[in-house]
Amino acid sequence: MYRLEPALQHYVWGSTHAIPALLGFAADDRPVAEAWFGAHPLAPARLVGASAPTLDALVSADPHAVLGDDVVARFGRELPYLLKLIAAASPVSLQVHPSRERARVGFEREDRAGVPIDAPERSYRDVNHKPELVFALSQLDAMVGFRAPRRAAELLVGLESSLAEQLHKLLTRDPSPGGVRAAFEWLLAPATRPHPDEVAALAHACQRRLDAGSPSPRTDRTVIRLHAQYPGDPGAVTSVLLNPVTLQPGEVLFVPAGAVHAYLEGFAVELMANSDNVLRAGLTSKHVDVPELLDNLDTVAAPPIRIAPEHVFTSTNVFYAPVDDFELSVTQLQDESDEVRLPGRGPRVLLCLEGTVQVRGEHDGTLRLEAGQSAFVPAAEGLLMARGAGRVVQAGVP
């Protein structure tokens, strides 16, 4: 078993305090948006006191021992998932993640064009898909997937804005996924996107409706908030088309490839396929590629996918995502005299969220994890047992 030091990402939308408080280091003025506990080559976690400096180097040195024969056969010589902490103090970009096939095609296309792998204008940084699961540590507000077209059209009624009228016309003319796509594309495509003054006018119309007693105050507040953060960006208006979601601590959301989404605010554990492929359409200062996002977009109206836990063993809830790359378990330990089994046998990443947890493997002794500390457990370590008084999350392969 190996102690980990995560790779930190200082994106502008990040919180200055949430991740430092959990991981136990001094906060400064820099936002800390994400902490990566994985083996993605762009930002691998570091290994403490090991011969290999980083987790991706450890995997490369002996993939069968580290990952296990089954994982190598199914996913190749790479850890198939990436565990993160995400702390959003302000809205994260309006985005979509590609399917595996789209990622492969896009990656090869950008490679042939000579775009450096770490270039800001690059959309595809690897050949993998990126479905993701979010486990809330605080209240987490987000927008995920499309509303029913008729419901979106209803929300535009009563807004005194030419932009609202045009969107309403598109949605009522074709109340199907095709109409939703037409409205979404009209808002964001370079050739048709509304002028910033039109976006501002719709935000002001939302404020007037809110002041007068809105039938949908949450939608109006979201448009107003996003416009204040990104003035003139039509991405703010897409919140009328998207499902609002609020997770309470301990609740889980799954976002499949192709689902448009944006996290608005909150602190969470994220678990995803081992990828950094993000296609953005707005609400960001980063690279935006609207045509590529539209090519990857699923416009079928569907409610957000909340995953209920399955209770296993004595102290563990497992959240099974509908993908083969990863699963998340959360174990709550209360009695230090009781030793409980943790699920899984393959390569696992452990992150202690609170208290103290002592983990014992079949071959490599024990490891004590305090709140904020993390570890990687190779497949060769076999079953894990844990005791203590605390809570630990584990990423693994189904």
Side-chain angles (χ1 to χ4, degrees):
M1 293 184 281
Y2 302 88
R3 291 189 181 275
L4 293 178
E5 290 183 358
L8 303 180
Q9 305 287 5
H10 300 280
Y11 307 140
V12 294
W13 48 262
S15 165
T16 58
H17 63 274
I19 290 177
L22 177 57
L23 300 188
F25 64 87
D28 55 30
D29 292 335
R30 288 191 303 169
V32 186
E34 296 179 351
W36 292 22
F37 302 84
H40 195 283
L42 289 179
R46 295 172 295 280
L47 299 178
V48 179
S51 57
T54 57
L55 185 51
D56 60 333
L58 180 74
V59 172
S60 296
D62 193 351
H64 286 273
V66 174
L67 303 177
D69 293 340
D70 174 65
V71 170
V72 171
R74 292 160 59 197
F75 298 100
R77 300 161 70 89
E78 293 183 352
L79 188 68
Y81 59 79
L82 173 57
L83 182 73
K84 297 181 182 180
L85 288 170
I86 177 172
S90 59
V92 184
S93 58
L94 185 68
Q95 60 186 259
V96 165
H97 303 310
S99 67
R100 187 177 279 112
E101 177 58 23
R102 296 286 315 192
R104 183 189 62 79
V105 171
F107 181 87
E108 292 175 354
R109 182 177 63 246
E110 291 186 326
D111 257 8
R112 288 194 302 271
V115 183
I117 195 71
D118 58 351
E121 69 273 18
R122 180 146 187 160
S123 294
Y124 294 95
R125 301 182 185 278
D126 51 67
V127 298
N128 207 3
H129 66 165
K130 195 188 175 191
E132 60 189 30
L133 178 152
V134 183
F135 174 81
L137 298 177
S138 73
Q139 178 174 304
L140 179 73
D141 294 319
M143 307 184 300
V144 181
F146 287 101
R147 304 179 195 256
R150 294 187 187 279
R151 174 57 180 157
E154 289 174 1
L155 297 175
L156 293 161
V157 174
L159 288 174
E160 298 176 359
S161 157
S162 60
L163 178 51
E165 291 174 3
Q166 177 62 27
L167 289 173
H168 185 269
K169 185 184 300 183
L170 290 169
L171 292 168
T172 52
R173 181 186 301 160
D174 181 7
S176 74
V180 170
R181 182 181 180 86
F184 192 79
E185 184 170 353
W186 182 83
L187 271 175
L188 298 172
T192 57
R193 60 190 288 132
H195 189 274
D197 289 347
E198 295 178 275
V199 177
L202 188 139
H204 296 325
C206 287
Q207 184 64 66
R208 291 193 298 272
R209 185 168 72 173
L210 189 62
D211 294 340
S214 173
S216 183
R218 182 172 185 175
T219 297
D220 290 343
R221 290 193 188 100
T222 302
V223 173
I224 294 164
R225 175 185 183 181
L226 293 175
H227 177 258
Q229 185 76 26
Y230 298 98
D233 189 332
V237 183
T238 63
S239 56
V240 177
L241 305 176
L242 304 181
N243 294 305
V245 183
T246 295
L247 298 182
Q248 297 302 324
E251 294 183 329
V252 166
L253 178 72
F254 176 72
V255 181
V260 62
H261 61 287
Y263 301 127
L264 303 179
E265 186 175 10
F267 186 31
V269 173
E270 266 193 313
L271 181 56
M272 62 198 66
N274 188 29
S275 174
D276 192 35
N277 289 327
V278 182
L279 307 172
R280 303 177 186 87
L283 306 179
T284 183
S285 58
K286 291 185 176 182
H287 174 60
V288 169
D289 190 343
V290 173
E292 195 65 25
L293 180 143
L294 292 171
D295 282 347
N296 285 267
L297 182 65
D298 182 356
T299 55
V300 175
I305 304 172
R306 296 173 180 264
I307 299 182
E310 293 191 23
H311 190 67
V312 301
F313 304 135
T314 58
S315 308
T316 298
N317 285 329
V318 180
F319 297 90
Y320 294 106
V323 293
D324 294 333
D325 309 67
F326 56 80
E327 66 183 24
L328 184 76
S329 65
V330 183
T331 300
Q332 183 75 53
L333 300 170
Q334 297 178 337
D335 187 346
E336 295 190 13
S337 64
D338 287 341
E339 189 173 55
V340 303
R341 177 183 166 186
L342 298 181
R345 286 178 173 269
R348 288 144 287 177
V349 173
L350 304 176
L351 171 61
C352 184
L353 296 177
E354 58 190 41
T356 302
V357 175
Q358 184 170 284
V359 181
R360 177 175 63 86
E362 289 187 282
H363 308 294
D364 196 24
T366 61
L367 188 65
R368 181 184 178 90
L369 297 176
E370 307 282 349
Q373 294 182 332
S374 56
F376 176 72
V377 182
E381 189 58 38
L383 291 176
L384 292 179
M385 305 296 293
R387 68 170 72 242
R391 184 166 58 140
V392 62
V393 296
Q394 175 182 277
V397 183

